[in-house]
Amino acid sequence: MLTRTRITLSALVAGAMLAALTALAEPAPAKPNTATAAPQAPTVAKQKSASTADHSKFKELDKDFKTGPEVTEACLICHNEAAKQVQHTKHWTWESVDPKTGQKRGKKNIINNYCTSPISNEKDCMACHAGYGWKDSSFDFTVEKNVDCLVCHDTTGTYRKLPGDAGHPVYVRREFPPGSGKFVEAVDLKKVAQNIGKPSRTNCGSCHFFGAGANGAKHGDLSSSLQHPDKYLDVHMDEKGLNFSCATCHSTSSHQVSGSRYNVAAAVTGPAHIRGKVDTSNPASCQSCHGNKPHPAKMSRLNDHTNKIACQTCHIPEYARDNIGTERSWDWSQATVMGPDGKPFVRKDSAGRRAFDSKKGAWVWESYVIPEYRWFNGVSKFKVIGDKIDPSKTVQINEVGGSPNDPDSRIWPTNVHRGKQPYDKVNLTLTLQHTGGEDDTALWHNYDWQKAITAGMKAGGLPYSGQYGFVDTEQTWPITHMVAPKGDALTCVQCHDSKTGGRLKNVKGIYMPGRGDNNQLLDKAGWALALLTLLGVLAHGAGRIYMSYRKG
């Protein structure tokens, strides 16, 4: 009896010591998977259609269309409510209203720190508008035939819209970029119209992968690598796995696409959505499928994290996880700088990405970027056109809302893009500038900031003092794409690291064991109590053994 008791006690003590050592040990960081998807040109993988209608057999589409609006008129013969629906979407209005603050945002109202603003540059920017003919402020948003159906529904991969055409596709074969020796073929509108389908990654990516004028430049978690992603890059979009399209998460009703970055569902609670049950919450959230307690019971501690941590914080450990990368900064103050021969020049970085252009300035790129973390409640207040700024400080293009005490806030991973852009030194406003075009006031044609700003501010109806400078700016994007497999999620020690402070070292207002910024006196008292408890248990066990021995 005594021997068995000794053996049992010894095993318990050894087990407790082993558990303590294991808990104190720092697990080795997960070996990064460096496999990446090679940059892909937008192509369409033709799949067997599940549609109940063969559009190639419709007489309305059996025509030699000359323009995009002619195709739309044919579409509307059957889909007679479609244009009206599109005209109420952000893809058409380029405007978004914050439901909480009422602030009008969207491309039409803000000045960002990438291309800045489409105002006075509509002919170029509308290559990504779901419409035809928006070339200036006179555009009529009520004309239904100007809705572009094909840009979202083309399945041929031959429908292209280029800068300078005010949203029209290429009607005549032409060299692009001019002087490059590369040519874009004229679109066969009849062929495209007869082969339409549901929006694919190609359709969405033709604009969203190339925001800010370059592959992967703008968002950091969107690039053409998501055209044919593997599991490492995005576990949901893995082409050989779940193979989600964009619309799988961004479900759409009446052409209203859910999940805008202007209206992020930052703190969704409750179980997963149930098919058929009325649910007005955002379907483009992790919780809509996984619920807010997604981990199994044996990992219930991780479920407790969801009260403060966004799913994306652990499951998107890095963004721009490809060789395409993303832009970290754009310095407009370098625009108009000429080469030694006095002529414009361009320079690429070692990865072949744009690094400098006399037309646009200088960029810095990076791949496999560790996010910057901050509290976020889904609300961002944007600088809109005409807002006053303080040039003595870095101007926040958008101020991300949220705090530790806000129940709607979670700690989110973000991409912070740094810029240096022009402003009016007297009126203290960010400026609009006319950049694209071949006219005498276009910056990319005459390299004259004064003329470009004067023309841009006039087009926007804003006063301009005639004095401009450059100011530092920041724009913050919440990261939601490029979700890694669970084996590549953050490990405990990547946040709970007393040596470095871990990933969340700059996030204030939360108690994190092991982060190294806790109350040292309280920690020591806790460890002392734990040690005393252990000694008490050992003393009690020893006493029981001793008494048992005496009785024996």
Side-chain angles (χ1 to χ4, degrees), residues 1 10 12 48 74 133 164 173 207 270 312 330-331 337 352 412 430 513 515 547:
M1 177 67 182
S10 300
L12 286 172
K48 185 179 180 181
R173 183 179 188 263
C207 283
Q312 291 85 344
W330 185 330
D331 183 356
V337 172
W412 270 74
L430 295 174
R515 188 166 67 168
M547 293 303 294

Side-chain angles (χ1 to χ4, degrees), residues 18-29:
L18 180 61
L21 290 172
T22 304
L24 292 171
E26 296 178 356

Side-chain angles (χ1 to χ4, degrees), residues 348-403:
K348 295 185 182 297
D349 67 12
S350 58
R353 304 170 294 206
R354 65 185 186 183
F356 177 84
D357 188 330
S358 294
K359 290 181 177 180
K360 302 178 181 180
W363 302 273
V364 174
W365 290 73
E366 191 176 348
S367 293
Y368 304 94
V369 184
I370 293 177
E372 297 183 32
Y373 300 92
R374 58 187 60 191
W375 292 102
F376 181 42
N377 61 5
V379 179
S380 291
K381 183 180 179 182
F382 282 80
K383 278 277 181 294
V384 297
I385 294 172
D387 276 356
K388 295 293 184 182
I389 65 167
D390 180 356
S392 67
K393 304 175 181 177
T394 298
V395 175
Q396 300 299 316
I397 298 295
N398 61 330
E399 296 179 34
V400 176
S403 70

